[in-house]
């Protein structure tokens, strides 16, 4: 390569190489700077941690300020709601106007959180106490027959804080207890009405009700009142514990009563005169109930078995185990149906009346059951109606009350039977001629 060509090559490539070198130097310098900054950050953090430790300061001061503000607001609100005045120095510092005077140390923040928990527990206790007092007061208002206006007037006078409200409810309860003692007999009688209601709800048998002897005591004393209140409280608790079971049993009993209604209607001959498809509707409903009853029995039995296993006690309906109670009802139903059937059978062979031929003293019996084999049969429920109708017709015939015999007999001064016999003889002579 000659000298001119070499110079030309250098002049073309020198700027590019120079730029590469500059960029490399810059990158190296930036990497060194980054390394120094990272080392400084580590150093400064260690120094800050040392200072925080020496000064007992949380490194997250701003976060702690927010936590303190929220806790302070909660404490202030809870104290206002329950009517609690600050007692300890920490409580006073927490709700004082000068928030900056409170040291935001880790221990102080934890102490404030504990105060909030304590106040919330106290609030729950006060609410429970208030609800208990209200329940007792409302119960006595009801028994002593207080008016709605009197109740509203008392509630409107209540104070805002829980502590003050509880004090007012307690005073009202004390006043009502005095009235209760002054009206002991009236109060006990009202409790007895409630007992009757819950005995029904709890499906108590007569024996179970009679076991509470105090119910029949006429010596109205404080001791008798306590016995009634304890019994009512026990029944209410038992009902709430078994409410779902009682509701299931009530559903079965409703369908059982409906089934019995359908059975009674089925024995009523007048139902065949109904129009508008009511018989078809009744038949469908009856079939539906018949299918539903055994299904409900199985469901309730399974439900009661589970309940008895959980409660460790026996569930009684009218003094019996549920399935025994159901079996007894079905057995009584079958016996009643059998009794009705036997009565109808006996009635079929009983005489319709002692039909005596006039002047002869002879009688004949006409049992309905003597129907030729293969003849059209009347439905059993109608048999009694037919019998009564035939008996009535024969009595009227004997008395000569049937037309046309009665009308002809009145004109000729003869009895209806005599006229009938003469007309019969006249027809014989006519046909003979």
């Amino acid at each position: 390569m000659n000298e001119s060509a070499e110079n030309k090559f250098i002049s073309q490539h020198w700027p590019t190489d120079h730029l590469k070198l500059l960029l490399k130097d810059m990158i190296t310098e930036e990497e060194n700077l980054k390394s120094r900054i990272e080392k400084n950050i580590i150093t400064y953090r260690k120094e800050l941690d040392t200072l925080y430790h020496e000064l007992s300061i949380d490194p997250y001061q701003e976060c702690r300020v927010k936590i303190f503000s929220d806790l302070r607001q909660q404490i202030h609100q809870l104290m206002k709601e329950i009517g609690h005045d600050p007692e300890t120095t920490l409580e006073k510092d927490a709700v004082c106007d000068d928030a900056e005077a409170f040291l935001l140390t880790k221990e102080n923040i934890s102490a404030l959180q504990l105060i909030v928990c304590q106040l919330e527990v106290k609030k729950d206790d006060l609410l429970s106490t208030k609800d208990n007092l209200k329940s007792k007061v409302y119960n006595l208002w009801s028994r002593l027959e207080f008016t709605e206006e009197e109740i509203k007037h008392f509630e409107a006078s209540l104070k805002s804080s829980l502590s003050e409200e509880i004090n007012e409810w307690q005073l009202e309860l004390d006043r009502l207890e005095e009235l209760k003692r002054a009206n002991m007999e009236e109060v006990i009688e009202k409790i007895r009405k409630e007992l009757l209601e819950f005995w029904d709800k709890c499906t108590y048998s007569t024996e179970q009700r009679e076991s509470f002897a105090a119910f029949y005591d006429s010596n109205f004393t404080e001791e008798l009142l306590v016995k009634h209140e304890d019994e009512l409280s026990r029944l209410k608790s038992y009902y709430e514990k078994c409410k779902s079971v009682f509701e299931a049993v009530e559903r079965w009993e409703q369908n059982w009563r409906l089934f019995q209604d359908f059975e009674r209607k089925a024995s009523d001959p007048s139902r065949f005169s109904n129009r508008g498809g009511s018989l078809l509707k009744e038949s469908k409903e009856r079939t539906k109930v018949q299918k539903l009853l055994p299904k409900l029995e199985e469901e309730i039995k399974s439900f009661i078995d589970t309940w008895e296993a959980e409660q460790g006690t026996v569930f009684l309906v009218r003094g019996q185990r549920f399935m025994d109670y159901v079996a007894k009802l079905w057995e009584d139903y079958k016996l009643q149906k059998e009794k009705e059937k036997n009565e109808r059978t006996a009635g079929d062979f009983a005489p319709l009346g002692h039909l005596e031929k006039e002047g002869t003293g002879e009688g004949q019996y006409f049992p309905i059951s003597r129907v030729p084999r293969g003849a059209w049969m009347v439905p059993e429920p109608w048999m009694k109606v037919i019998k009564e109708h035939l008996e009535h017709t024969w009595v009227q015939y004997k008395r000569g009350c049937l037309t046309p015999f009665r009308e002809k007999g009145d004109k000729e001064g003869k009895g209806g039977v005599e006229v009938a016999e003469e007309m019969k003889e006249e027809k014989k002579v006519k046909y003979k001629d």
Side-chain angles (χ1 to χ4, degrees):
M1 183 183 296
N2 55 29
E3 185 176 352
S4 61
E6 184 178 354
N7 290 335
K8 183 178 180 181
F9 176 82
I10 293 173
S11 63
Q12 290 177 348
H13 291 85
W14 180 83
T16 302
D17 294 338
H18 181 68
L19 287 173
K20 288 182 178 180
L21 290 173
L22 287 175
L23 287 172
K24 185 177 179 180
D25 292 341
M26 291 174 65
I27 291 171
T28 301
E29 185 177 353
E30 289 295 329
E31 289 178 347
N32 292 335
L33 180 60
K34 177 186 176 184
S35 179
R36 289 196 303 271
I37 291 173
E38 289 177 345
K39 290 179 180 179
N40 289 337
I41 289 173
I42 294 173
T43 302
Y44 294 150
R45 280 182 174 174
K46 289 181 179 179
E47 292 177 358
L48 281 172
D49 289 340
T50 302
L51 288 172
Y52 286 141
H53 180 71
E54 291 176 354
L55 298 174
S56 299
I57 298 175
D58 194 334
Y60 304 102
Q61 190 70 10
E62 291 183 5
C63 180
R64 189 161 290 184
V65 169
K66 186 178 184 307
I67 293 174
F68 166 71
S69 178
D70 292 342
L71 290 172
R72 186 170 181 270
Q73 185 176 358
Q74 290 182 56
I75 291 171
H76 190 273
Q77 181 65 26
L78 285 168
M79 286 183 175
K80 181 180 179 182
E81 287 179 2
I82 66 178
H84 176 82
D85 294 326
E87 297 174 352
T88 66
T89 303
L90 187 61
E91 288 180 356
K92 293 176 181 178
D93 291 343
V95 297
C96 69
D97 295 333
D98 187 9
E100 295 182 358
F102 189 86
L103 294 177
L104 301 181
T105 63
K106 198 172 186 179
E107 291 76 12
N108 284 348
I109 294 295
S110 298
L112 291 181
Q113 291 171 336
L114 178 60
I115 291 175
V116 170
C117 291
Q118 291 172 341
L119 291 175
E120 287 176 341
V121 170
K122 185 175 181 179
K123 179 182 176 180
D124 291 339
D125 291 341
L126 290 175
L127 285 172
S128 177
T129 301
K130 173 188 168 183
D131 291 341
N132 186 40
L133 289 171
K134 281 183 66 175
S135 176
K136 292 179 179 178
V137 169
Y138 269 95
N139 191 28
L140 286 174
W141 276 341
S142 175
R143 289 177 183 172
L144 297 172
E145 297 183 344
F146 271 60
T147 64
E148 192 69 25
E149 289 73 19
E150 290 174 309
I151 295 173
K152 288 182 178 180
H153 177 73
F154 171 80
E155 292 179 334
S157 66
L158 293 173
K159 304 297 188 297
S160 58
S161 72
L162 274 173
S163 296
E164 291 173 323
E165 274 194 56
I166 288 172
N167 185 52
E168 293 295 326
W169 284 110
Q170 184 62 59
L171 291 174
E172 179 67 5
L173 179 61
D174 295 340
R175 184 178 75 88
L176 294 175
E177 289 288 351
E178 288 294 329
L179 288 174
K180 181 182 72 173
R181 283 187 283 272
N183 300 273
M184 190 69 68
E185 181 176 352
E186 181 181 352
V187 172
I188 290 177
E189 289 297 338
K190 287 185 179 295
I191 296 177
R192 284 175 175 175
K193 289 181 180 179
E194 290 187 71
L195 283 174
L196 289 173
E197 177 186 345
F198 276 92
W199 278 341
D200 290 339
K201 286 184 176 181
C202 296
T203 64
Y204 263 37
S205 64
T206 302
E207 292 76 13
Q208 287 175 297
R209 300 176 189 221
E210 291 177 349
S211 65
F212 182 61
F215 188 85
Y216 310 96
D217 193 342
S218 59
N219 185 20
F220 300 99
T221 62
E222 181 74 24
E223 181 182 359
L224 185 65
L225 175 62
V226 171
K227 288 181 180 179
H228 279 71
E229 289 178 333
D230 290 345
E231 177 67 7
L232 182 59
S233 177
R234 184 188 68 81
L235 278 173
K236 286 182 176 180
S237 176
Y238 176 60
Y239 177 75
E240 288 301 320
K241 186 169 63 175
C242 312
K243 188 174 181 179
S244 55
V245 186
F246 288 130
E247 289 175 347
V249 172
E250 173 61 23
R251 189 166 64 254
W252 183 89
E253 289 182 330
Q254 288 175 353
N255 282 277
W256 173 255
R257 290 190 290 269
L258 188 59
F259 169 74
Q260 291 180 308
D261 288 340
F262 283 133
E263 288 293 296
R264 282 190 289 270
K265 289 179 181 178
S267 302
D268 183 8
S270 64
R271 74 192 187 101
F272 292 101
S273 62
N274 293 333
R275 295 291 187 268
S278 58
L279 284 179
L280 179 60
K281 181 179 179 181
E282 178 186 315
S283 177
K284 289 181 179 179
E285 289 292 328
R286 186 169 182 266
T287 302
K288 179 180 177 182
V289 171
Q290 283 179 313
K291 291 180 179 180
L292 182 61
L293 280 172
K295 181 180 178 182
L296 284 174
E297 289 166 16
E298 289 301 319
E299 290 178 358
I300 295 172
K301 179 181 181 301
S302 176
F303 196 41
I304 290 176
D305 289 344
T306 302
W307 184 91
E308 289 180 341
E310 292 174 352
Q311 301 297 328
T313 185
V314 176
F315 182 83
L316 299 178
V317 178
R318 322 292 179 203
Q320 307 173 72
R321 301 290 291 269
F322 175 72
M323 293 309 295
D324 295 338
Y325 166 70
V326 169
K328 181 67 166 58
L329 288 178
W330 279 111
E331 182 63 25
D332 291 345
Y333 164 75
K334 292 176 182 178
L335 290 174
Q336 181 63 26
K337 295 292 288 185
E338 188 67 26
K339 179 182 177 183
E340 292 174 358
K341 181 180 178 181
N342 292 336
E343 289 176 351
R344 286 195 299 270
T345 303
D348 288 346
F349 288 92
L352 291 178
H354 188 261
L355 309 183
E356 181 179 311
K357 290 185 178 179
E358 195 168 349
T360 65
E362 297 178 359
Q364 289 182 328
Y365 292 92
F366 298 89
I368 291 177
S369 59
R370 294 178 184 173
V371 180
R373 187 176 299 275
W376 178 80
M377 298 296 293
V378 178
E380 286 189 4
W382 288 12
M383 300 296 276
K384 183 178 179 181
V385 177
I386 295 172
K387 286 164 57 178
E388 292 175 353
H389 177 70
L390 290 174
E391 289 175 352
H392 176 74
T393 302
W394 176 250
V395 171
Q396 295 298 315
Y397 173 73
K398 284 183 66 177
R399 293 176 180 174
C401 298
L402 299 178
T403 58
F405 311 128
R406 182 186 62 190
E407 295 175 355
K408 185 174 178 63
D410 290 341
K411 292 178 181 179
E412 300 178 2
K414 301 177 181 179
V417 174
E418 185 178 355
V419 171
E421 292 293 335
E422 289 179 355
M423 292 179 66
K424 183 178 179 182
E425 291 299 326
E426 290 176 359
K427 288 183 178 179
K428 289 181 178 180
V429 173
K430 181 178 179 180
Y431 290 131
K432 185 176 181 180
D433 296 340

